[in-house]
Amino acid sequence: MGLKGKTIVLGVTGSIAAYKAADVASKLAQAGATVPVMMTRAALEFITPLTFRSLTHQQVYVDWYDAGSDLAIQHVALANQADAVLVAPATADFLAKLVYGFADDPLSGTILATQAPVLVAPAMDGHMYDHPATQQNLATLRSRGVTIIGPEQGHLASGLTGMGRLSSTETILAYVKMALGRSGDLAGLRVVVSAGPTEEPMDPVRHISNRSTGRMGFAVAEAARDRGATVTLVTGPTVLPDPVGVKVARIRTALQMLDATQSAVRDADIVVMTAAVADYRPAIQAEQKMKKGPGDTTVMELVKNPDIIATIQGDFVKIGFAAESEDLIRNARTKLAEKRLDLVAANDITAPGSGFAVDTNKVLLVHPSGEVEDLPLMTKAEVADVILDRAVAVRQQRARQPVVAG
Ligand code: CTP
């Protein structure tokens, strides 16, 4: 899964944002992709082939007619090898070329010849971007299945602020992974994920919450997206940005999470609940800020929140988490049975590298059969993929079981 072992042809055209393409090339290579780079002549005015060659350890192509390049003989070889072709940055001029199908440089020729997904990340002056010609060109490319990434709003090299900034490297990579995963093993499936904490307000300035950051749930949502799923993420308050290509419902309280989850799971195939839902909420939410009383102690009445995962019904695969500080397996088994789950991912929040605000997790997978899988310490992205593997296995097992009438 992901970028490892994939060939991503990176096209660089003549925008001042060309220097940012070095970071894109570097991050793609670090993620395990092979990254041949194709530069237009205009790009050479902004950045050198040596930069890309040093970062990717691959040949950099500029000219059809360079006798030292293998393109002189096999001019569509890279078009066939590519798992995706990404142009970042793409100028207004280059977009126009793509619309008309010119092939007077190796990059535009490769894009004409390839069957792989094509992605372009425009970067240009705001007025050039807004021009009807550019907008029409982008619409034409989109209608042909080209993925347009950004651009973003912000400071432009012209000194103005507007639309036209190249999207961030993280956003560009997320789009590439999503394009690669289009035909993944979750293609056509709907996955719903809950994430983060909930906040249960006491008054306008105070609430009850917990230390969940949402990282595990966001990792599951991104992994499912990168395997081709249509993903809805219902999340409590978190600083994490919306993942690219995922429908995000931001809620605050457990009751709001229940509402959002119930409507999201209607046509779901797989539901993964990673949220740390507050078990109780204050019985009364004061309209004004509560004042301290004369005594040294106080008591607040709490009422139980609904158990969301136990409440939602449907023939989807249902996976829960169990964050525990003791009796990990016993507690996980109880939750598996009481919430009628297909799998529980149990984590000991006191274990090193596990728990809140870190990118790793140490998880035990507890199955209804009684089997317990003790996974090693992994990144949350890796844990997410294993959980989705198991969800796929549950679906396959169900498909094999005969339907019992009545
Ligand atoms: N969960 C839920 N709604 C709740 C509480 C929990 O959907 N009101 C889900 C969580 O998202 C998780 C699983 O149930 O997938 C277990 O959550 P956890 O907080 O570990 O357990 P609780 O059921 O709250 O039990 P306890 O707090 O007593 O351990």
Side-chain angles (χ1 to χ4, degrees):
M1 288 298 149
L3 293 160
K4 210 179 176 105
K6 303 289 184 191
T7 298
I8 312 297
V9 173
L10 173 62
V12 183
T13 71
S15 152
I16 181 60
Y19 76 95
K20 295 182 182 170
D23 188 47
V24 175
S26 170
K27 296 278 164 42
L28 286 170
Q30 284 174 44
T34 303
V35 191
V37 175
M38 294 186 153
M39 300 175 69
T40 61
R41 292 226 147 258
L44 297 179
E45 303 289 335
F46 294 94
I47 189 164
T48 73
L50 185 62
T51 307
F52 293 108
R53 183 153 181 104
S54 308
L55 291 168
T56 65
H57 305 249
Q58 297 290 314
Q59 198 167 348
V60 178
Y61 304 89
V62 179
D63 209 323
W64 284 126
Y65 310 108
D66 173 4
S69 145
D70 30 346
L71 283 185
I73 306 152
Q74 286 186 296
H75 64 283
V76 291
L78 281 175
N80 294 331
Q81 282 162 29
D83 292 296
V85 180
L86 164 69
V87 186
T91 60
D93 180 65
F94 191 78
L95 296 173
K97 258 178 98 165
L98 287 187
V99 167
Y100 283 96
F102 288 124
D104 61 348
D105 63 68
L107 178 57
S108 47
T110 299
I111 291 172
L112 271 191
T114 195
Q115 300 295 308
V118 175
L119 304 96
V120 299
M124 64 194 71
D125 163 73
H127 294 308
M128 290 173 82
Y129 176 72
D130 289 337
H131 195 283
T134 305
Q135 288 302 315
Q136 201 170 342
N137 287 340
L138 287 168
T140 302
L141 292 174
R142 207 174 273 124
S143 73
R144 290 182 195 158
V146 173
T147 301
I148 315 291
I149 308 171
E152 290 177 2
Q153 178 91 18
H155 172 81
L156 302 172
S158 58
L160 300 174
T161 299
M163 281 295 275
R165 264 173 84 84
L166 184 69
S167 291
S168 70
T169 301
E170 290 67 35
T171 300
I172 292 173
L173 260 60
Y175 273 101
V176 174
K177 285 194 278 181
M178 190 163 67
L180 293 173
R182 242 175 250 159
S183 50
D185 61 350
L186 300 183
L189 299 186
R190 293 180 182 275
V191 175
V192 175
V193 183
S194 77
T198 63
E199 287 179 358
E200 310 299 331
M202 295 157 57
D203 69 15
V205 294
R206 303 184 183 94
H207 59 246
I208 300 175
S209 190
N210 58 67
R211 293 174 50 214
S212 170
T213 60
R215 280 187 169 76
M216 191 62 240
F218 276 58
V220 174
E222 287 168 8
R225 171 202 69 194
D226 294 345
R227 293 165 72 153
T230 302
V231 184
T232 303
L233 173 64
V234 181
T235 181
T238 162
V239 296
L240 302 176
D242 287 5
V244 163
V246 168
K247 185 174 170 206
V248 182
R250 291 200 182 255
I251 54 81
R252 186 173 180 211
T253 66
L255 292 177
Q256 291 167 353
M257 182 171 272
L258 175 67
D259 265 2
T261 309
Q262 272 176 329
S263 57
V265 299
R266 248 169 236 145
D267 51 1
D269 299 292
I270 298 169
V271 176
V272 185
M273 300 282 292
T274 74
V277 184
D279 291 329
Y280 297 93
R281 65 180 182 278
I284 295 167
Q285 189 188 330
E287 271 181 33
Q288 305 301 332
K289 186 183 165 206
M290 285 156 62
K291 292 293 184 191
K292 60 177 168 294
D296 286 342
T297 58
T298 187
V299 173
M300 182 170 53
E301 194 185 355
L302 301 175
V303 290
K304 207 171 219 166
N305 273 326
D307 189 328
I308 301 170
I309 201 169
T311 308
I312 53 172
Q313 304 285 345
D315 55 2
F316 39 76
V317 175
K318 201 156 87 165
I319 297 179
F321 269 69
E324 307 290 348
S325 56
E326 58 178 358
D327 280 341
L328 190 56
I329 296 178
R330 197 165 57 85
N331 282 326
R333 285 206 168 115
T334 307
K335 286 176 187 173
L336 186 86
E338 285 178 355
K339 298 171 193 257
R340 288 188 284 161
L341 306 179
D342 295 296
L343 184 74
V344 166
N347 62 336
D348 176 352
I349 49 174
T350 61
S354 208
F356 306 114
V358 289
D359 285 324
T360 50
N361 213 351
K362 173 81 187 70
V363 163
L364 292 174
L365 297 183
V366 181
H367 294 258
S369 63
E371 187 198 347
V372 176
E373 289 183 81
D374 187 356
L375 302 183
L377 185 69
M378 291 170 150
T379 64
K380 286 182 175 170
E382 288 166 337
V383 172
D385 265 325
V386 176
I387 287 170
L388 293 171
D389 288 346
R390 300 299 176 271
V392 169
V394 173
R395 283 177 55 80
Q396 285 167 347
Q397 196 189 354
R398 283 189 191 169
R400 279 196 300 271
Q401 277 166 0
V403 179
V404 182

